[in-house]
Amino acid sequence: MLSFLILGSLSVLAQSTSNDTIPPVKTDSLQIEKVDTIPLNDSTKLVQKRFSYKISKDSLDAPINYGSKDSLVMNIPDKVIILYSDAKIQYRDMNLTADSMNMNQQTKLITAMYRRDTAGKMIGKPKMTQDGTDMEALEIVYNFETQRGITKNTVTQQGEMFVQGERIKKISMEEYFAYRAQITTCNLDTPHFAFRAHKMKLINKKMAVSGPIHPEFEGVPIPIYLPFGIFPMAQGRRSGLLPPQFTASEQFGLGLEGLGYYKVFNDYLDVTLRSNIYTYGGWMMNLMPTYRVRYRYNGSMNLSMQNSRILSNAGDREFDNTRTFNITWTHAVDSRARPGTNFSANVNAGSTRYNRLITNNAMRNYQNQMNSSITYSKTWDRFNFTASANHNQNNNTQLITMTLPNMALTMSTLYPFQKKEAVGKSGWYEKLGIGYNSTFSNRVSAYEKDFNVKHLLDTMQWGASHNVPIQLALPQLGPLQITPGISYRENWYSQRMFRSWNYGTQTMDTSINKGFYRSSDMAFSVSMSTAMFGKFERFGKNSNIKAIRHVIRPQVSLNYNPALASKDYYTVMIDSGRRAQQTSYYTGGISSVFSGEKFGGMSFGIDNNIEAKFRAKDSTSKDRVVRLIDGFGINGSYNFLLDSFQLSTFNLYVRTNLFEKINITARANLDPYQVDERGFRVNKFAWEGRKFTPGRITDGSLTISSSFRSKAAEGKDADPINENYDNLSPYTPDEEMAQLAYMQQNPAEFADFNIPWSLNFSFTYNFRRVFEEDQGRFYTNNTASLNMNGDFNITPKWKLGMNTFYDVKTSSVQMLTMYLSRELHCWQLSINVTPVGIVRTFNITIHPKSGLLRDLRINRTRYFYGM
């Protein structure tokens, strides 16, 4: 690459002649003086030197860098430079490449051309990039002084838009005119679709404006003419209308969904308003403001009001009318804004029937829990303070519970005997640490139909707890780590509850006394822990397994609890058979209940994991270590002070990740005591007087999940759909949830054809022994469900996907959604079907892939709502 600075034109290289057309060089009127500050001898006089230089009137204000691969010819008399093969020119922010170029100093014109090889293939098509705009043409003529130019058979890209013109004329840095132009988002030389106009004006990175315009598909004009066309090309957020999509439902009627407006107020705030309107009178409104201040905070809200008017299945009325609402709010503070202080919010509250009445989100129809949390925290010195407000809502039972405020104060551990300056060896007593933490909570609960101020005040109850732990970290004794500890806890309650059996009604009566009550507890403990390792290496030389290692981590602690809370317990009859049990006055309170039984015994536990080491395939590789079982073990305790049921239930668990693909987690509780014919425990071990058995499992759970996917197809680029969405600006949390909801509603639009197949599944099983008060007996309550979703390519351009929820207990499919997607290069065909669910839907959509034309779609949707 050659670099040449043109100052005063190429005439400086030529001999001056009488017939030279270059005008004589003028003397610049600006004289530049330079003062030499170096004194002569010891005199205080300064020597001043004056000089001047001459500037040509046709000189440029920036250098031109140019070069070529083959050759460069300089015609000095004509002031022309010709570049051959891979010619390149750079001037200011303009970069021009072509097979050959002709640069004329007199006319200030650069002409870029291509050539064809012996096979007729085009080589070195001219390309120009300036101010973020790319342009490709068969010929480019450009004036580097006026920065005007004209191109032939040109394609230029503005963001996601491609503009093709038979001729395009550039008249300034920002403005272009195109003759016989077409605009599209398809990147092919012959696009699948385009909007064609006779004349068009382009304003760089702002918009394209045309006169009469009409669409065409596969080069076939569509006889739909518009008087003018305006295509926005500006990047970033812009206010404007949000077009709807047409739907039809037997229960809701005809409808328009998604009709709305997007308003940008400033760099910190924008608001989206969307609505659904149906011909039977139903409607839905969503107001979604988002706000952000960089390096300080960001958040968003969604205020939704839904008026459902559905054809009724009952004979006494024509429609079922239901009004519901929902409020979501997320707020996050940048940790750099106020170090040590944080505020966050994640609110999701509303009517219990809101999710069931949403027509276009099958996943949300089965979300029966709504939770909210607003938290403020501050840390200073040794203390941390947290205040929060929580909300929980069960849409099945319609029970709403709010806990506000929640306050917690925690003090980091103090070491009162520790020296201020560490001198010499520290004593064991310096490791004595004292901590403190306390909590306060206030809770109200009510069913939705009883949600009013009076009922909330009636159900209000508060509680507080205080905990003072004292621990001593002793030096390790060989393989043993010994840790003694003392803790004192105290709870405060706002009510005291007393239960009694009513023999007349055969039910349990409950009376509540409000006031201030306290209960305390103290515990002493000494814990010991260690780790043991075992290894088996007796495998053959040809075996892939080199060794198996087993790690055992036993833990034993001696505990004593004097049962200071025993005075808070009383005996109550629980059935007509005069069966009795101990219960606390504070059962059901907001704070936990301390044990009323003295404990003097030991707690024990054993945790294990097993790993295998596989031989390396060659000398350049390392041995591979694989965890066979991540962890399995047992926990329990034995109370020496009790006269019955001294041994506790055993907690069994196992967790593993088979082949680093299948996650398995299982847990269960084992009761070592026998039961009578009605299911009540008796003080007799399970293995006494019968065939040996360790006990009976009272409750447990099993979860198996995994995700499988094939490798990406070789030689394929990233999915253009996902690529478009990856280039968008970062989402706020609420925008991200909205985008995920849209992806759930329209999975076919986000199909990745580069992954031939994928499968995700999760199986969950739970069981528990539950006491039935009416029957006075125990029964086993179990649930099992299977969630699956996956997709596979029928052909390289067709993909089928499915998402389902199967209830194993009832042997029924609770929800099933399927989609079929067809890759059409710059367009995509999407078919979404929900044949099973609360809302059964059918949707077919043809739309461009470009996010700029995302709302330009052909859509057909049908809903069928069933309770």
Side-chain angles (χ1 to χ4, degrees):
M1 172 70 72
L2 299 175
S3 178
F4 186 78
L5 177 63
I6 302 180
L7 292 173
S9 77
L10 294 174
S11 60
V12 298
L13 302 177
Q15 298 292 330
S16 179
T17 60
S18 59
N19 59 351
D20 197 348
T21 59
I22 301 177
V25 176
K26 294 182 179 180
T27 302
D28 191 75
S29 60
L30 179 63
Q31 300 295 330
I32 301 177
E33 296 184 356
K34 184 177 181 182
V35 180
D36 192 349
T37 59
I38 302 176
L40 296 177
N41 301 328
D42 294 331
S43 171
T44 57
K45 273 188 174 182
L46 298 178
V47 177
Q48 296 183 349
K49 298 180 180 180
R50 298 177 180 272
F51 65 91
S52 63
Y53 58 87
K54 299 176 181 180
I55 301 176
S56 173
K57 69 174 183 179
D58 58 351
S59 64
L60 299 176
D61 58 355
I64 295 180
N65 298 316
Y66 61 90
S68 62
K69 183 178 181 181
D70 184 88
S71 59
L72 181 150
V73 177
M74 302 181 67
N75 186 344
I76 295 178
D78 296 333
K79 302 176 184 177
V80 174
I81 298 177
I82 303 174
L83 308 174
Y84 292 99
S85 183
D86 285 344
K88 300 176 182 179
I89 288 181
Q90 180 182 1
Y91 174 66
R92 289 183 180 176
D93 63 341
M94 186 274 292
N95 288 279
L96 181 63
T97 61
D99 178 73
S100 61
M101 293 187 197
N102 186 314
M103 185 168 58
N104 192 308
Q105 172 63 23
Q106 289 182 324
T107 61
K108 307 292 191 304
L109 294 180
I110 299 175
T111 303
M113 298 162 289
Y114 72 96
R115 66 181 173 90
R116 294 186 182 273
D117 60 11
T118 55
K121 184 179 178 180
M122 189 180 299
I123 298 176
K125 195 173 182 180
K127 297 180 181 179
M128 185 173 72
T129 301
Q130 187 174 27
D131 194 24
T133 300
D134 298 326
M135 183 176 292
E136 187 178 70
L138 296 183
E139 181 180 291
I140 295 178
V141 180
Y142 178 75
N143 188 309
F144 49 78
E145 183 178 54
T146 64
Q147 298 194 27
R148 294 186 177 187
I150 189 168
T151 62
K152 297 180 181 179
N153 295 335
T154 308
V155 178
T156 179
Q157 183 176 2
Q158 296 272 332
E160 294 184 49
M161 286 289 191
F162 295 89
V163 179
Q164 299 184 17
E166 190 173 302
R167 288 199 304 274
I168 292 182
K169 184 177 182 181
K170 180 183 180 183
I171 63 173
S172 70
M173 287 286 293
E174 304 292 335
E175 296 179 313
Y176 303 79
F177 284 97
Y179 172 70
R180 291 187 178 178
Q182 59 181 1
I183 187 168
T184 180
T185 57
C186 183
N187 59 0
L188 298 180
D189 292 337
T190 304
H192 289 107
F193 79 101
F195 293 90
R196 186 176 290 275
H198 186 69
K199 294 181 180 180
M200 183 178 292
K201 179 178 181 180
L202 289 85
I203 303 176
N204 190 28
K205 296 182 180 180
K206 289 185 178 180
M207 65 176 66
V209 182
S210 73
I213 192 170
H214 69 278
E216 65 177 26
F217 288 88
E218 299 288 352
V220 179
I222 304 299
I224 301 176
Y225 280 82
L226 301 175
F228 62 89
I230 300 177
F231 299 88
M233 295 181 177
Q235 302 297 314
R237 300 174 300 152
R238 292 293 183 275
S239 301
L241 291 173
L242 301 174
Q245 69 177 18
F246 176 79
T247 63
S249 170
E250 295 182 11
Q251 277 69 36
F252 293 87
L254 303 179
L256 293 177
E257 293 185 346
L259 176 63
Y261 188 80
Y262 176 70
K263 175 63 178 176
V264 178
F265 288 95
N266 49 47
D267 292 338
Y268 312 107
L269 176 65
D270 56 71
V271 176
T272 303
L273 176 65
R274 285 191 179 272
S275 64
N276 300 340
I277 305 173
Y278 305 97
T279 54
Y280 288 171
W283 53 267
M284 182 178 182
M285 298 289 293
N286 284 302
L287 182 66
M288 294 169 285
T290 60
Y291 55 90
R292 64 197 65 82
V293 177
R294 183 173 293 183
Y295 306 126
R296 293 189 64 186
Y297 58 83
N298 67 81
S300 61
M301 297 187 70
N302 186 351
L303 310 176
S304 179
M305 179 67 72
Q306 188 174 227
N307 180 36
S308 301
R309 186 173 172 85
I310 308 173
L311 276 179
S312 176
N313 294 324
D316 57 343
R317 58 186 182 277
E318 185 177 3
F319 294 99
D320 291 329
N321 297 312
T322 307
R323 287 202 173 190
T324 57
F325 72 94
N326 184 255
I327 299 174
T328 62
W329 175 39
T330 59
H331 180 89
V333 175
D334 194 313
S335 59
R336 295 166 292 184
R338 297 182 64 185
T341 303
N342 185 45
F343 177 79
S344 63
N346 191 351
V347 176
N348 181 16
S351 304
T352 55
R353 289 176 56 83
Y354 178 85
N355 287 348
R356 292 181 63 86
L357 295 173
I358 292 180
T359 57
N360 52 9
N361 193 336
M363 297 296 293
R364 192 164 180 178
N365 294 150
Y366 289 93
Q367 292 178 3
N368 295 319
Q369 293 288 336
M370 292 185 182
N371 297 284
S372 305
S373 176
I374 302 175
T375 305
Y376 168 83
S377 64
K378 182 175 179 58
T379 301
W380 70 97
D381 296 332
R382 291 181 173 272
F383 294 91
N384 175 266
F385 173 76
T386 302
S388 64
N390 299 317
H391 152 267
N392 176 267
Q393 185 172 330
N394 189 308
N395 293 339
N396 278 338
T397 62
Q398 299 187 3
L399 179 63
I400 302 172
T401 302
M402 293 184 295
T403 308
L404 71 160
N406 285 335
M407 293 183 291
L409 178 64
T410 302
M411 182 187 72
S412 57
T413 304
L414 293 174
Y415 296 93
F417 302 111
Q418 193 174 58
K419 300 175 183 177
K420 292 183 178 181
E421 296 182 3
V423 179
K425 187 177 180 181
S426 60
W428 62 268
Y429 54 87
E430 294 184 41
K431 300 297 183 179
L432 180 68
I434 302 175
Y436 173 77
N437 59 76
S438 65
T439 61
F440 173 85
S441 299
N442 182 71
R443 184 175 66 193
V444 293
S445 60
Y447 290 95
E448 186 177 29
K449 60 183 179 62
D450 300 324
F451 200 83
N452 54 64
V453 176
K454 181 179 181 302
H455 193 82
L456 292 178
L457 292 176
D458 290 341
T459 61
M460 180 183 296
Q461 59 173 310
W462 58 266
S465 64
H466 310 271
N467 185 18
V468 181
I470 302 175
Q471 288 187 338
L472 179 61
L474 295 176
Q476 188 164 336
L477 302 176
L480 291 178
Q481 178 66 54
I482 302 177
T483 306
I486 303 173
S487 68
Y488 174 80
R489 297 182 295 170
E490 183 170 308
N491 286 349
W492 296 347
Y493 304 92
S494 62
Q495 65 181 29
R496 183 177 176 135
M497 186 181 301
F498 182 78
R499 295 180 176 88
S500 60
W501 180 259
N502 190 323
Y503 289 94
T505 60
Q506 295 294 303
T507 58
M508 191 78 70
D509 292 341
T510 303
S511 61
I512 298 176
N513 297 320
K514 292 189 177 292
F516 175 78
Y517 305 95
R518 55 182 294 274
S519 179
S520 57
D521 183 67
M522 180 173 283
F524 305 87
S525 65
V526 177
S527 63
M528 294 172 289
S529 61
T530 187
M532 296 181 290
F533 302 86
K535 185 183 293 187
F536 182 80
E537 297 179 306
R538 296 181 181 179
F539 293 96
K541 294 183 178 180
N542 298 326
S543 174
N544 291 330
I545 302 177
K546 189 174 183 180
I548 292 180
R549 189 178 72 161
H550 181 196
V551 182
I552 305 174
R553 295 182 176 87
Q555 182 178 1
V556 178
S557 63
L558 302 177
N559 305 277
Y560 174 70
N561 188 323
L564 301 181
S566 59
K567 61 182 182 351
D568 302 326
Y569 281 76
Y570 64 98
T571 303
V572 59
M573 300 297 176
I574 61 174
D575 60 12
S576 58
R578 295 185 177 274
R579 294 184 181 273
Q581 70 178 25
Q582 290 284 317
T583 186
S584 172
Y585 292 111
Y586 308 118
T587 299
I590 194 170
S591 298
S592 59
V593 177
F594 298 133
S595 174
E597 295 180 346
K598 289 184 179 182
F599 185 88
M602 67 176 182
S603 299
F604 51 86
I606 300 177
D607 183 66
N608 305 259
N609 68 63
I610 300 177
E611 297 177 340
K613 180 180 286 188
F614 291 86
R615 298 182 188 275
K617 295 182 179 179
D618 50 61
S619 59
T620 61
S621 303
K622 294 183 179 181
D623 293 338
R624 185 166 56 97
V625 177
V626 177
R627 285 199 171 191
L628 302 180
I629 301 179
D630 292 336
F632 67 95
I634 182 172
N635 295 312
S637 63
Y638 190 88
N639 191 347
F640 294 101
L641 301 181
L642 293 180
D643 56 0
S644 61
F645 302 109
Q646 295 173 311
L647 188 61
S648 71
T649 58
F650 297 105
N651 178 28
L652 312 174
Y653 63 91
V654 61
R655 58 184 186 277
T656 186
N657 188 4
L658 289 180
F659 315 111
E660 299 182 354
K661 271 295 183 182
I662 303 177
N663 295 303
I664 301 176
T665 302
R667 54 155 296 274
N669 281 327
L670 178 70
D671 189 347
Y673 291 95
Q674 299 181 18
V675 296
D676 60 16
E677 65 279 0
R678 300 185 64 184
F680 289 94
R681 300 173 80 197
V682 295
N683 188 26
K684 193 175 183 180
F685 288 116
W687 52 83
E688 292 184 18
R690 60 173 68 178
K691 185 178 179 181
F692 177 81
T693 175
R696 57 188 180 86
I697 302 294
T698 58
D699 62 88
S701 64
L702 171 66
T703 301
I704 304 174
S705 63
S706 186
S707 177
F708 300 93
R709 63 183 301 178
S710 63
K711 294 182 179 179
E714 295 183 1
K716 289 195 175 183
D717 297 329
D719 186 5
I721 297 179
N722 297 330
E723 197 173 66
N724 289 338
Y725 283 98
D726 289 342
N727 292 332
L728 296 177
S729 58
Y731 288 125
T732 64
D734 193 63
E735 290 173 332
E736 184 176 353
M737 293 302 297
Q739 184 66 21
L740 291 174
Y742 183 86
M743 295 174 67
Q744 289 178 349
Q745 300 167 27
N746 305 276
E749 295 186 22
F750 300 89
D752 188 354
F753 289 89
N754 295 338
I755 305 298
W757 62 268
S758 66
L759 174 65
N760 306 298
F761 75 88
S762 174
F763 172 78
T764 303
Y765 175 72
N766 294 277
F767 67 94
R768 184 180 183 84
R769 293 285 292 170
V770 180
F771 179 71
E772 191 176 29
E773 293 186 0
D774 295 341
Q775 302 296 327
R777 60 180 179 86
F778 287 85
Y779 70 97
T780 301
N781 182 21
N782 57 73
T783 60
S785 61
L786 176 66
N787 285 278
M788 287 195 306
N789 65 80
D791 57 61
F792 66 94
N793 290 354
I794 303 175
T795 69
K797 298 296 183 181
W798 283 97
K799 180 177 281 290
L800 178 66
M802 180 190 68
N803 184 9
T804 184
F805 175 81
Y806 180 76
D807 191 332
V808 178
K809 183 177 180 180
T810 60
S811 302
S812 62
V813 177
Q814 299 295 317
M815 187 273 295
L816 173 65
T817 63
M818 298 183 294
Y819 72 84
L820 185 66
S821 185
R822 173 69 165 93
E823 164 69 36
L824 298 173
H825 187 254
C826 52
W827 286 67
Q828 187 162 332
L829 169 68
S830 307
I831 302 175
N832 298 283
V833 183
T834 304
V836 179
I838 295 176
V839 180
R840 296 177 287 279
T841 66
F842 172 80
N843 170 276
I844 181 170
T845 303
I846 302 177
H847 64 94
K849 289 184 181 178
S850 169
L852 200 63
L853 300 178
R854 180 174 173 177
D855 295 317
L856 181 65
R857 61 178 61 199
I858 302 172
N859 176 267
R860 174 63 170 167
T861 303
R862 295 294 301 272
Y863 294 128
F864 182 82
Y865 182 84
M867 296 298 292

